[in-house]
Structure formats: C-alpha cells, structure tokens
Amino acid sequence: MARFAPLFSGSSGNCTYIGCSGGGILIDAGVSAKAITGALAQMELEPSAIQAIFVTHEHIDHVKGLKVFAGKNHIPIYASAKTLEALEAGERYDARTEARVINGAPVALAHMQVTRFATSHDCPGSSGYVVETADGRKMAVCTDLGYVSEEVRIALTGCDLVLLESNHDVMMLQNGPYPYPLKRRILSDSGHLSNAGCAAELGGLIQAGATRLVLGHISKENNYPELALASARAALTDGGYKENMDYILQAAPPAGGRMLVL
C-alpha cells in the first residue's frame, strides 16, 4: 500500500514523506533534522527507511535540515541541475553526501518511480515530483509555483493524490503587512499559487483521476486553512463534484500531517 504524509507544510518549513513496503522518500527537508526525525518517529518510521530526498528548490523553507539529516543518515539527494548548483554554492549539503541530477527520466528506488516536472518559481530549476508505486498508485507534490503550466497539468494527469499549493488569499495579501515588492513577487507568475488559482485546477484534477486533494504551503500570514478549504469546496461544488463521493479534501497542517494510505 502507498503511504503519503505531509510532515510539515507552509512558510515555516516543508517536508513530505511518500513510501510503500520497500521504504520511502522525502520531498524536501525544510525543517531541522531533529524535527524530521521526530515526525518520522510519530509515523513509526526510522530515518533508515528514507532512501532518498528529492529537493524542489533551494529556498530555506525547503532545505533547512537537508545538510544534517542527509549527512547524518547517509541519504542521497536528488534535484534539478540548477537546484544542485544552488545547493552546492550555499553549502546546503555535506560534501560526502551523494547528490544526483534528476531530469526527464524517472528514478527508480524503494519499489517506486519518481519523476520530476518543472514549476514556475523565482529560482532556476524549481521542481515538482510525481511518485508512482509498484501497485500503480500515483502521488504528486506541487508547491511554490506562480501558475499552473501545461507541463504541470500533464504531469498531474492520472495522479490518485495531489498536494497542490493554496498559498494565499489575494485580498488578505494585498491588504496585509508585507512590503509591496514582496507582495508583487508572491502574486507574480514566478511566485505562489493563490486559493483561487488552486481552486480553479481541482475539477480538472478530479477529471484526470485524482480522488484525494491536499491543499499545501498555506501561508500563516496571508491565509487560513478554513479559507483555502472554503475556496476549494466552492469551486468544486460549482463544478458539480460532491465531497466524500467524488473526492476527499484536506488542508496540510504546518506540522503533524497524518498518514494517508492509498
């Protein structure tokens, strides 16, 4: 059985576990190594179960614990060539850690296949990932993108579970305390996906095969989980979809996401 757990999600740190009987992987390591180890322990998992860490991009909320956790536990890391360059320049991983480029070809490990796709964010080589298990289940993590490109839509087609960014409410952001340049960055096509932007994609995901939808990377300053969920439900209701019949919806909490079994 496939297992999926958003251990941490949001501007304070991001880390997602995906696994099956053959072991598991992490997507990002954006909190301390101690916090990651503790979150895995709550799932009754040891760090030795992690066979690789796939990095979406080099921003600190995605790589804070990467150097220590990967180095201490001898775990290889994968990322796009541009992301690995940035990680190396920022000394974000130990020189003894195996660092491998993932491009268009799937990486096979832990009885799973991991495929990278490009996302639009304000750093070169930003990525999302689709993970397919031996029993044919497909799960995706797709955050930190200013808009949903055709490449992203194609990558997410056929996924059973999708964690999609629902970062901010546009009105909250525009009227909030952030300085104007930061607001402009978040709202740009290389920023973050809003509640409305996320909600507009969900019906298509269901039509393409998704039954579990997880809203992720919800901003603490410019959003509320309840607001993100309400926006998603409104769009899906307007599209004629029924919750708990056509889809299961949840918001990934900042920490302590529960294990989902497919």
Side-chain angles (χ1 to χ4, degrees):
M1 292 185 291
R3 293 172 171 83
F4 182 99
L7 304 178
F8 301 91
S9 183
S11 54
S12 297
N14 297 272
C15 181
T16 300
Y17 170 82
I18 301 176
C20 62
S21 59
I25 65 168
L26 295 180
I27 296 179
D28 289 331
V31 297
S32 71
K34 180 179 180 180
I36 295 171
T37 301
L40 290 173
Q42 291 182 355
M43 303 288 178
E44 300 183 347
L45 295 168
E46 296 291 334
S48 58
I50 306 303
Q51 297 193 16
I53 302 171
F54 290 80
V55 181
T56 60
H57 63 294
E58 67 268 21
H59 289 167
I60 190 65
D61 58 321
H62 295 261
V63 300
K64 181 179 180 180
L66 180 66
K67 185 173 184 177
V68 175
F69 187 80
K72 180 180 179 180
N73 297 294
H74 311 290
I75 300 171
I77 64 174
Y78 290 82
S80 70
K82 291 292 186 181
T83 295
L84 285 182
E85 288 176 13
L87 293 175
E88 183 177 8
E91 298 182 350
R92 289 296 178 187
Y93 65 88
D94 192 289
R96 294 168 294 180
T97 298
E98 291 185 63
R100 304 171 183 172
V101 173
I102 180 170
N103 45 39
V107 171
L109 45 74
H111 299 171
M112 300 185 294
Q113 285 199 109
V114 184
T115 305
R116 172 192 176 266
F117 57 91
T119 56
S120 174
H121 200 42
D122 56 354
C123 51
S126 180
S127 306
Y129 294 101
V130 172
V131 181
E132 184 171 3
T133 61
D135 60 358
R137 297 291 189 176
K138 293 177 70 175
M139 296 158 281
V141 174
C142 185
T143 66
D144 296 74
L145 67 168
Y147 73 101
V148 177
S149 67
E150 192 59 27
E151 178 178 351
V152 170
R153 290 193 183 98
I154 290 170
L156 300 183
T157 295
C159 287
D160 301 282
L161 182 154
V162 177
L163 189 157
L164 183 63
E165 180 171 55
S166 190
N167 178 255
H168 59 277
D169 174 79
V170 172
M171 291 297 293
M172 281 186 69
L173 174 63
Q174 289 176 332
N175 293 291
Y178 279 9
Y180 175 72
L182 180 54
K183 293 179 181 180
R184 184 173 61 183
R185 170 193 170 248
I186 292 170
L187 291 167
S188 75
D189 281 351
S190 57
H192 289 277
L193 198 64
S194 68
N195 290 346
C198 173
E201 299 296 325
L202 299 180
L205 292 177
I206 294 172
Q207 287 184 345
T211 57
R212 289 180 179 264
L213 306 171
V214 182
L215 310 182
H217 213 302
I218 296 172
S219 171
K220 182 172 64 177
E221 294 80 11
N222 302 300
N223 207 356
Y224 298 107
E226 298 80 8
L227 193 57
L229 288 166
S231 178
R233 287 184 175 118
L236 289 169
T237 299
D238 286 347
Y241 301 101
K242 295 184 178 181
E243 189 170 4
N244 299 320
M245 292 182 62
D246 299 315
Y247 66 93
I248 297 172
L249 176 70
Q250 74 175 74
R258 65 186 180 89
M259 186 79 77
L260 302 177
V261 179
L262 296 180

